[in-house]
Amino acid sequence: MNTYRVGVLGGDGIGPEVTAEAVKVLQAAAARFGFGLELVDYPFGAEHALKTNELIPDRAFEEMKTLDAILLGAVGDPRFEPGHLEFGIVGRLRFGLDLYVNLRPIKLYAEHLCPLKGRRPEDLQMVVVRENTEDAYRGQTRIDHKGTPEETAVQEMFYTRRGTERIIRYAFELARSRPRKTLTLVDKANAVRAHDLYRRVFADVAKEYPGVTTDAIYVDACCMWMIKNPDRFDTVVTTNMFGDIITDLGAVLQGGLGIAAGGNIHPGRVSVFEPIHGSAPKYRGQKKSNPLAAILAGAMLLEHVGEPAAARAVEDSVAGLLRSRRIPSIGTDSGIPTPAVGDAVVAELAR
Ligand code: IPM
Ligand code: MG
């Protein structure tokens, strides 16, 4: 029997409560599909940082490198400056583990969840391949003459050919493996002149994938098309920051942040799976947040470690519950407590 060592970092706000449901579902999947799970819990996040002043201690970080995967809840707390926990924890994992792919499927599981009129599940089946280690997240920040009328603030957007090429190559491989074999590059090469690098590398790599149909569009147009014609998209590859933005838009098209999951991936290495929503501190402990995004992140984790049948079963269970409206909505207003959603997925998985 294969046993996977999985780190669990619930984090802040609603992170721990949604992660607990994802773990419950992973355990049910392990029992049903015959694999083992060894869970390693990590207490990191705002409370831990306030008590100990540490974000992720080096010892724990070294241990994380030896795991098969990590399930992350959410990080962020109003008692810290914006970015402090995010960069110290999420950033440390993404950059420190070189998780260069942020894979974010945007799938409509049930028609009634989509805010767009008349859109059906087959109209929204895209997947965003977001670069995850460069861009404004890695460039220098410079603020001069702070607080004076002459103040200037500069933020670099930083890209390397290596970083650009590996994400584009990953996206081509993924696009080729999907039925529509279509890949769209999303950038802003008309204003961010550095995106010329993305355009050139995309065109070069495309030559190696003659079976994949490609196009390149600007991010503003992408936002428009995602609303107007979401069915025009299959696989999308984009820069770190644009990927951040368009996947929140995508989440809303799926029905809300309560259902959108993502993976921070380095193929073949320990990778981190998380709901793309934040820590929502005001809902903490109220047990009304929907854990489906965390549960679907768990499904992506199963796929990554090599349990695709289990991954599919979890995803199908979630889809079935949504389609039949046994889970009627995915907001905090669904009326179903967080643990009951986890229980419903477990029951569905057992059928
Ligand atoms: C995300 C989040 C993060 C990001 C924040 C928490 C830094 O919005 O994962 O989408 O910008 O990448
Ligand atoms: Mg985001």
Side-chain angles (χ1 to χ4, degrees), residues 118-145:
R119 287 300 180 183
R120 324 239 310 229
E122 56 269 32
D123 296 329
L124 190 67
Q125 293 294 328
M126 59 190 283
V127 56
V128 175
V129 177
R130 166 187 176 189
E131 201 289 322
N132 211 31
T133 54
E134 303 194 330
D135 205 352
Y137 291 79
R138 285 309 276 290
Q140 301 284 318
T141 308
R142 203 176 107 190
I143 297 186
D144 287 325
H145 313 294

PDB file of all heavy atoms in Angstrom, residues 118-145:
ATOM      1  N   GLY A 118     -27.689  31.930 -18.735  1.00  0.00           N
ATOM      2  CA  GLY A 118     -27.733  30.889 -19.762  1.00  0.00           C
ATOM      3  C   GLY A 118     -26.456  30.092 -19.965  1.00  0.00           C
ATOM      4  O   GLY A 118     -26.357  29.340 -20.932  1.00  0.00           O
ATOM      5  N   ARG A 119     -25.496  30.227 -19.087  1.00  0.00           N
ATOM      6  CA  ARG A 119     -24.244  29.471 -19.264  1.00  0.00           C
ATOM      7  C   ARG A 119     -24.341  28.105 -18.596  1.00  0.00           C
ATOM      8  O   ARG A 119     -24.800  27.982 -17.470  1.00  0.00           O
ATOM      9  CB  ARG A 119     -23.066  30.262 -18.695  1.00  0.00           C
ATOM     10  CG  ARG A 119     -22.696  31.439 -19.564  1.00  0.00           C
ATOM     11  CD  ARG A 119     -22.320  30.965 -20.938  1.00  0.00           C
ATOM     12  NE  ARG A 119     -21.949  32.063 -21.815  1.00  0.00           N
ATOM     13  CZ  ARG A 119     -21.634  31.887 -23.102  1.00  0.00           C
ATOM     14  NH1 ARG A 119     -21.688  30.687 -23.650  1.00  0.00           N
ATOM     15  NH2 ARG A 119     -21.285  32.914 -23.834  1.00  0.00           N
ATOM     16  N   ARG A 120     -23.893  27.098 -19.332  1.00  0.00           N
ATOM     17  CA  ARG A 120     -23.967  25.730 -18.843  1.00  0.00           C
ATOM     18  C   ARG A 120     -22.572  25.223 -18.508  1.00  0.00           C
ATOM     19  O   ARG A 120     -21.586  25.801 -18.954  1.00  0.00           O
ATOM     20  CB  ARG A 120     -24.573  24.858 -19.940  1.00  0.00           C
ATOM     21  CG  ARG A 120     -25.642  25.599 -20.731  1.00  0.00           C
ATOM     22  CD  ARG A 120     -26.925  24.910 -20.649  1.00  0.00           C
ATOM     23  NE  ARG A 120     -26.785  23.506 -20.957  1.00  0.00           N
ATOM     24  CZ  ARG A 120     -27.570  22.883 -21.806  1.00  0.00           C
ATOM     25  NH1 ARG A 120     -28.475  23.567 -22.456  1.00  0.00           N
ATOM     26  NH2 ARG A 120     -27.442  21.590 -21.997  1.00  0.00           N
ATOM     27  N   PRO A 121     -22.499  24.128 -17.766  1.00  0.00           N
ATOM     28  CA  PRO A 121     -21.181  23.611 -17.385  1.00  0.00           C
ATOM     29  C   PRO A 121     -20.223  23.472 -18.570  1.00  0.00           C
ATOM     30  O   PRO A 121     -19.034  23.782 -18.446  1.00  0.00           O
ATOM     31  CB  PRO A 121     -21.514  22.263 -16.749  1.00  0.00           C
ATOM     32  CG  PRO A 121     -22.848  22.496 -16.117  1.00  0.00           C
ATOM     33  CD  PRO A 121     -23.588  23.402 -17.080  1.00  0.00           C
ATOM     34  N   GLU A 122     -20.718  23.053 -19.733  1.00  0.00           N
ATOM     35  CA  GLU A 122     -19.790  22.875 -20.858  1.00  0.00           C
ATOM     36  C   GLU A 122     -19.208  24.196 -21.373  1.00  0.00           C
ATOM     37  O   GLU A 122     -18.224  24.205 -22.101  1.00  0.00           O
ATOM     38  CB  GLU A 122     -20.435  22.068 -22.002  1.00  0.00           C
ATOM     39  CG  GLU A 122     -21.722  22.634 -22.545  1.00  0.00           C
ATOM     40  CD  GLU A 122     -22.968  22.086 -21.819  1.00  0.00           C
ATOM     41  OE1 GLU A 122     -22.886  21.786 -20.617  1.00  0.00           O
ATOM     42  OE2 GLU A 122     -24.020  21.974 -22.472  1.00  0.00           O
ATOM     43  N   ASP A 123     -19.817  25.316 -20.986  1.00  0.00           N
ATOM     44  CA  ASP A 123     -19.308  26.620 -21.430  1.00  0.00           C
ATOM     45  C   ASP A 123     -18.133  27.117 -20.593  1.00  0.00           C
ATOM     46  O   ASP A 123     -17.473  28.091 -20.960  1.00  0.00           O
ATOM     47  CB  ASP A 123     -20.407  27.688 -21.352  1.00  0.00           C
ATOM     48  CG  ASP A 123     -21.557  27.389 -22.288  1.00  0.00           C
ATOM     49  OD1 ASP A 123     -21.313  26.793 -23.349  1.00  0.00           O
ATOM     50  OD2 ASP A 123     -22.699  27.754 -21.944  1.00  0.00           O
ATOM     51  N   LEU A 124     -17.928  26.514 -19.449  1.00  0.00           N
ATOM     52  CA  LEU A 124     -16.873  27.004 -18.564  1.00  0.00           C
ATOM     53  C   LEU A 124     -16.057  25.821 -18.068  1.00  0.00           C
ATOM     54  O   LEU A 124     -16.389  25.184 -17.076  1.00  0.00           O
ATOM     55  CB  LEU A 124     -17.491  27.760 -17.373  1.00  0.00           C
ATOM     56  CG  LEU A 124     -16.499  28.528 -16.498  1.00  0.00           C
ATOM     57  CD1 LEU A 124     -15.881  29.693 -17.257  1.00  0.00           C
ATOM     58  CD2 LEU A 124     -17.165  29.045 -15.232  1.00  0.00           C
ATOM     59  N   GLN A 125     -15.029  25.514 -18.818  1.00  0.00           N
ATOM     60  CA  GLN A 125     -14.167  24.372 -18.517  1.00  0.00           C
ATOM     61  C   GLN A 125     -12.739  24.790 -18.807  1.00  0.00           C
ATOM     62  O   GLN A 125     -12.040  24.172 -19.577  1.00  0.00           O
ATOM     63  CB  GLN A 125     -14.544  23.174 -19.400  1.00  0.00           C
ATOM     64  CG  GLN A 125     -15.909  22.593 -19.120  1.00  0.00           C
ATOM     65  CD  GLN A 125     -16.013  21.954 -17.742  1.00  0.00           C
ATOM     66  OE1 GLN A 125     -15.061  21.408 -17.208  1.00  0.00           O
ATOM     67  NE2 GLN A 125     -17.190  22.047 -17.144  1.00  0.00           N
ATOM     68  N   MET A 126     -12.327  25.897 -18.199  1.00  0.00           N
ATOM     69  CA  MET A 126     -10.986  26.366 -18.515  1.00  0.00           C
ATOM     70  C   MET A 126     -10.011  26.043 -17.386  1.00  0.00           C
ATOM     71  O   MET A 126     -10.413  25.666 -16.283  1.00  0.00           O
ATOM     72  CB  MET A 126     -10.985  27.863 -18.847  1.00  0.00           C
ATOM     73  CG  MET A 126     -11.486  28.789 -17.782  1.00  0.00           C
ATOM     74  SD  MET A 126     -11.718  30.505 -18.419  1.00  0.00           S
ATOM     75  CE  MET A 126     -10.041  31.119 -18.471  1.00  0.00           C
ATOM     76  N   VAL A 127      -8.741  26.172 -17.691  1.00  0.00           N
ATOM     77  CA  VAL A 127      -7.740  25.982 -16.639  1.00  0.00           C
ATOM     78  C   VAL A 127      -6.661  27.042 -16.842  1.00  0.00           C
ATOM     79  O   VAL A 127      -6.179  27.252 -17.949  1.00  0.00           O
ATOM     80  CB  VAL A 127      -7.165  24.545 -16.635  1.00  0.00           C
ATOM     81  CG1 VAL A 127      -6.581  24.150 -17.968  1.00  0.00           C
ATOM     82  CG2 VAL A 127      -6.110  24.378 -15.541  1.00  0.00           C
ATOM     83  N   VAL A 128      -6.376  27.762 -15.753  1.00  0.00           N
ATOM     84  CA  VAL A 128      -5.368  28.812 -15.821  1.00  0.00           C
ATOM     85  C   VAL A 128      -4.053  28.279 -15.272  1.00  0.00           C
ATOM     86  O   VAL A 128      -4.008  27.728 -14.167  1.00  0.00           O
ATOM     87  CB  VAL A 128      -5.814  30.059 -15.029  1.00  0.00           C
ATOM     88  CG1 VAL A 128      -4.704  31.115 -15.009  1.00  0.00           C
ATOM     89  CG2 VAL A 128      -7.091  30.645 -15.630  1.00  0.00           C
ATOM     90  N   VAL A 129      -3.017  28.448 -16.078  1.00  0.00           N
ATOM     91  CA  VAL A 129      -1.659  28.110 -15.662  1.00  0.00           C
ATOM     92  C   VAL A 129      -0.975  29.439 -15.349  1.00  0.00           C
ATOM     93  O   VAL A 129      -0.604  30.191 -16.245  1.00  0.00           O
ATOM     94  CB  VAL A 129      -0.908  27.366 -16.786  1.00  0.00           C
ATOM     95  CG1 VAL A 129       0.529  27.080 -16.381  1.00  0.00           C
ATOM     96  CG2 VAL A 129      -1.637  26.073 -17.152  1.00  0.00           C
ATOM     97  N   ARG A 130      -0.907  29.730 -14.063  1.00  0.00           N
ATOM     98  CA  ARG A 130      -0.356  31.014 -13.603  1.00  0.00           C
ATOM     99  C   ARG A 130       1.100  30.826 -13.221  1.00  0.00           C
ATOM    100  O   ARG A 130       1.417  29.965 -12.397  1.00  0.00           O
ATOM    101  CB  ARG A 130      -1.193  31.471 -12.398  1.00  0.00           C
ATOM    102  CG  ARG A 130      -0.577  32.588 -11.590  1.00  0.00           C
ATOM    103  CD  ARG A 130      -1.397  32.863 -10.316  1.00  0.00           C
ATOM    104  NE  ARG A 130      -0.721  33.876  -9.509  1.00  0.00           N
ATOM    105  CZ  ARG A 130      -1.056  34.226  -8.273  1.00  0.00           C
ATOM    106  NH1 ARG A 130      -2.089  33.638  -7.686  1.00  0.00           N
ATOM    107  NH2 ARG A 130      -0.387  35.134  -7.618  1.00  0.00           N
ATOM    108  N   GLU A 131       1.973  31.646 -13.772  1.00  0.00           N
ATOM    109  CA  GLU A 131       3.381  31.600 -13.343  1.00  0.00           C
ATOM    110  C   GLU A 131       3.403  31.985 -11.868  1.00  0.00           C
ATOM    111  O   GLU A 131       2.634  32.844 -11.429  1.00  0.00           O
ATOM    112  CB  GLU A 131       4.218  32.564 -14.203  1.00  0.00           C
ATOM    113  CG  GLU A 131       5.716  32.247 -14.197  1.00  0.00           C
ATOM    114  CD  GLU A 131       6.405  32.558 -12.886  1.00  0.00           C
ATOM    115  OE1 GLU A 131       6.056  33.577 -12.269  1.00  0.00           O
ATOM    116  OE2 GLU A 131       7.284  31.774 -12.469  1.00  0.00           O
ATOM    117  N   ASN A 132       4.267  31.364 -11.081  1.00  0.00           N
ATOM    118  CA  ASN A 132       4.095  31.482  -9.633  1.00  0.00           C
ATOM    119  C   ASN A 132       5.346  31.907  -8.879  1.00  0.00           C
ATOM    120  O   ASN A 132       5.361  31.873  -7.654  1.00  0.00           O
ATOM    121  CB  ASN A 132       3.613  30.119  -9.098  1.00  0.00           C
ATOM    122  CG  ASN A 132       2.719  30.218  -7.884  1.00  0.00           C
ATOM    123  OD1 ASN A 132       1.991  31.190  -7.721  1.00  0.00           O
ATOM    124  ND2 ASN A 132       2.763  29.201  -7.027  1.00  0.00           N
ATOM    125  N   THR A 133       6.400  32.264  -9.594  1.00  0.00           N
ATOM    126  CA  THR A 133       7.643  32.581  -8.866  1.00  0.00           C
ATOM    127  C   THR A 133       8.286  33.910  -9.281  1.00  0.00           C
ATOM    128  O   THR A 133       9.369  34.230  -8.800  1.00  0.00           O
ATOM    129  CB  THR A 133       8.694  31.468  -9.086  1.00  0.00           C
ATOM    130  OG1 THR A 133       8.883  31.266 -10.493  1.00  0.00           O
ATOM    131  CG2 THR A 133       8.279  30.151  -8.443  1.00  0.00           C
ATOM    132  N   GLU A 134       7.652  34.664 -10.197  1.00  0.00           N
ATOM    133  CA  GLU A 134       8.318  35.880 -10.679  1.00  0.00           C
ATOM    134  C   GLU A 134       7.358  37.081 -10.647  1.00  0.00           C
ATOM    135  O   GLU A 134       6.507  37.162  -9.800  1.00  0.00           O
ATOM    136  CB  GLU A 134       8.836  35.647 -12.120  1.00  0.00           C
ATOM    137  CG  GLU A 134       9.778  34.449 -12.223  1.00  0.00           C
ATOM    138  CD  GLU A 134      10.553  34.397 -13.527  1.00  0.00           C
ATOM    139  OE1 GLU A 134      10.038  34.874 -14.556  1.00  0.00           O
ATOM    140  OE2 GLU A 134      11.688  33.885 -13.502  1.00  0.00           O
ATOM    141  N   ASP A 135       7.567  38.015 -11.578  1.00  0.00           N
ATOM    142  CA  ASP A 135       6.659  39.154 -11.751  1.00  0.00           C
ATOM    143  C   ASP A 135       6.811  40.175 -10.609  1.00  0.00           C
ATOM    144  O   ASP A 135       7.837  40.209  -9.937  1.00  0.00           O
ATOM    145  CB  ASP A 135       5.217  38.618 -11.855  1.00  0.00           C
ATOM    146  CG  ASP A 135       4.277  39.558 -12.611  1.00  0.00           C
ATOM    147  OD1 ASP A 135       4.673  40.692 -12.927  1.00  0.00           O
ATOM    148  OD2 ASP A 135       3.143  39.152 -12.879  1.00  0.00           O
ATOM    149  N   ALA A 136       5.779  40.951 -10.362  1.00  0.00           N
ATOM    150  CA  ALA A 136       5.847  41.972  -9.311  1.00  0.00           C
ATOM    151  C   ALA A 136       6.075  41.345  -7.934  1.00  0.00           C
ATOM    152  O   ALA A 136       6.549  42.005  -7.013  1.00  0.00           O
ATOM    153  CB  ALA A 136       4.564  42.790  -9.299  1.00  0.00           C
ATOM    154  N   TYR A 137       5.740  40.064  -7.813  1.00  0.00           N
ATOM    155  CA  TYR A 137       5.936  39.370  -6.536  1.00  0.00           C
ATOM    156  C   TYR A 137       7.416  39.198  -6.207  1.00  0.00           C
ATOM    157  O   TYR A 137       7.762  38.929  -5.068  1.00  0.00           O
ATOM    158  CB  TYR A 137       5.268  37.984  -6.575  1.00  0.00           C
ATOM    159  CG  TYR A 137       3.758  38.040  -6.611  1.00  0.00           C
ATOM    160  CD1 TYR A 137       3.095  38.316  -7.795  1.00  0.00           C
ATOM    161  CD2 TYR A 137       3.002  37.826  -5.472  1.00  0.00           C
ATOM    162  CE1 TYR A 137       1.711  38.368  -7.842  1.00  0.00           C
ATOM    163  CE2 TYR A 137       1.619  37.874  -5.509  1.00  0.00           C
ATOM    164  CZ  TYR A 137       0.980  38.150  -6.693  1.00  0.00           C
ATOM    165  OH  TYR A 137      -0.381  38.202  -6.728  1.00  0.00           O
ATOM    166  N   ARG A 138       8.263  39.271  -7.209  1.00  0.00           N
ATOM    167  CA  ARG A 138       9.687  39.060  -6.980  1.00  0.00           C
ATOM    168  C   ARG A 138      10.546  40.273  -7.309  1.00  0.00           C
ATOM    169  O   ARG A 138      11.743  40.252  -7.077  1.00  0.00           O
ATOM    170  CB  ARG A 138      10.190  37.870  -7.819  1.00  0.00           C
ATOM    171  CG  ARG A 138       9.768  36.529  -7.285  1.00  0.00           C
ATOM    172  CD  ARG A 138      10.074  36.339  -5.818  1.00  0.00           C
ATOM    173  NE  ARG A 138      11.425  35.899  -5.499  1.00  0.00           N
ATOM    174  CZ  ARG A 138      11.920  34.696  -5.750  1.00  0.00           C
ATOM    175  NH1 ARG A 138      11.184  33.788  -6.371  1.00  0.00           N
ATOM    176  NH2 ARG A 138      13.129  34.386  -5.396  1.00  0.00           N
ATOM    177  N   GLY A 139       9.936  41.329  -7.850  1.00  0.00           N
ATOM    178  CA  GLY A 139      10.732  42.506  -8.207  1.00  0.00           C
ATOM    179  C   GLY A 139      11.044  43.356  -6.987  1.00  0.00           C
ATOM    180  O   GLY A 139      10.467  43.186  -5.919  1.00  0.00           O
ATOM    181  N   GLN A 140      11.973  44.295  -7.161  1.00  0.00           N
ATOM    182  CA  GLN A 140      12.332  45.212  -6.077  1.00  0.00           C
ATOM    183  C   GLN A 140      11.221  46.250  -5.871  1.00  0.00           C
ATOM    184  O   GLN A 140      10.559  46.652  -6.819  1.00  0.00           O
ATOM    185  CB  GLN A 140      13.606  45.968  -6.453  1.00  0.00           C
ATOM    186  CG  GLN A 140      14.805  45.079  -6.716  1.00  0.00           C
ATOM    187  CD  GLN A 140      15.398  44.542  -5.438  1.00  0.00           C
ATOM    188  OE1 GLN A 140      15.531  45.266  -4.450  1.00  0.00           O
ATOM    189  NE2 GLN A 140      15.736  43.264  -5.437  1.00  0.00           N
ATOM    190  N   THR A 141      11.086  46.674  -4.626  1.00  0.00           N
ATOM    191  CA  THR A 141      10.191  47.783  -4.299  1.00  0.00           C
ATOM    192  C   THR A 141      11.058  48.957  -3.880  1.00  0.00           C
ATOM    193  O   THR A 141      12.025  48.769  -3.149  1.00  0.00           O
ATOM    194  CB  THR A 141       9.305  47.417  -3.087  1.00  0.00           C
ATOM    195  OG1 THR A 141       8.670  46.177  -3.337  1.00  0.00           O
ATOM    196  CG2 THR A 141       8.252  48.489  -2.821  1.00  0.00           C
ATOM    197  N   ARG A 142      10.720  50.146  -4.340  1.00  0.00           N
ATOM    198  CA  ARG A 142      11.469  51.301  -3.863  1.00  0.00           C
ATOM    199  C   ARG A 142      10.524  52.454  -3.615  1.00  0.00           C
ATOM    200  O   ARG A 142       9.774  52.856  -4.511  1.00  0.00           O
ATOM    201  CB  ARG A 142      12.514  51.700  -4.896  1.00  0.00           C
ATOM    202  CG  ARG A 142      13.648  52.472  -4.255  1.00  0.00           C
ATOM    203  CD  ARG A 142      14.709  52.782  -5.266  1.00  0.00           C
ATOM    204  NE  ARG A 142      14.659  54.191  -5.588  1.00  0.00           N
ATOM    205  CZ  ARG A 142      15.344  54.723  -6.585  1.00  0.00           C
ATOM    206  NH1 ARG A 142      16.065  53.967  -7.381  1.00  0.00           N
ATOM    207  NH2 ARG A 142      15.277  56.007  -6.794  1.00  0.00           N
ATOM    208  N   ILE A 143      10.538  52.944  -2.409  1.00  0.00           N
ATOM    209  CA  ILE A 143       9.715  54.109  -2.090  1.00  0.00           C
ATOM    210  C   ILE A 143      10.654  55.215  -1.618  1.00  0.00           C
ATOM    211  O   ILE A 143      11.421  55.029  -0.675  1.00  0.00           O
ATOM    212  CB  ILE A 143       8.673  53.761  -1.003  1.00  0.00           C
ATOM    213  CG1 ILE A 143       7.732  52.685  -1.558  1.00  0.00           C
ATOM    214  CG2 ILE A 143       7.900  55.013  -0.581  1.00  0.00           C
ATOM    215  CD1 ILE A 143       6.564  52.321  -0.672  1.00  0.00           C
ATOM    216  N   ASP A 144      10.635  56.337  -2.331  1.00  0.00           N
ATOM    217  CA  ASP A 144      11.501  57.466  -1.966  1.00  0.00           C
ATOM    218  C   ASP A 144      10.655  58.644  -1.490  1.00  0.00           C
ATOM    219  O   ASP A 144       9.504  58.792  -1.908  1.00  0.00           O
ATOM    220  CB  ASP A 144      12.336  57.898  -3.180  1.00  0.00           C
ATOM    221  CG  ASP A 144      13.453  56.891  -3.482  1.00  0.00           C
ATOM    222  OD1 ASP A 144      14.009  56.317  -2.527  1.00  0.00           O
ATOM    223  OD2 ASP A 144      13.736  56.666  -4.681  1.00  0.00           O
ATOM    224  N   HIS A 145      11.240  59.463  -0.673  1.00  0.00           N
ATOM    225  CA  HIS A 145      10.593  60.696  -0.172  1.00  0.00           C
ATOM    226  C   HIS A 145       9.247  60.390   0.468  1.00  0.00           C
ATOM    227  O   HIS A 145       8.268  61.116   0.261  1.00  0.00           O
ATOM    228  CB  HIS A 145      10.419  61.721  -1.299  1.00  0.00           C
ATOM    229  CG  HIS A 145      11.644  61.916  -2.145  1.00  0.00           C
ATOM    230  ND1 HIS A 145      12.806  62.462  -1.647  1.00  0.00           N
ATOM    231  CD2 HIS A 145      11.899  61.606  -3.441  1.00  0.00           C
ATOM    232  CE1 HIS A 145      13.726  62.493  -2.605  1.00  0.00           C
ATOM    233  NE2 HIS A 145      13.200  61.970  -3.706  1.00  0.00           N
TER     234      HIS A 145
END
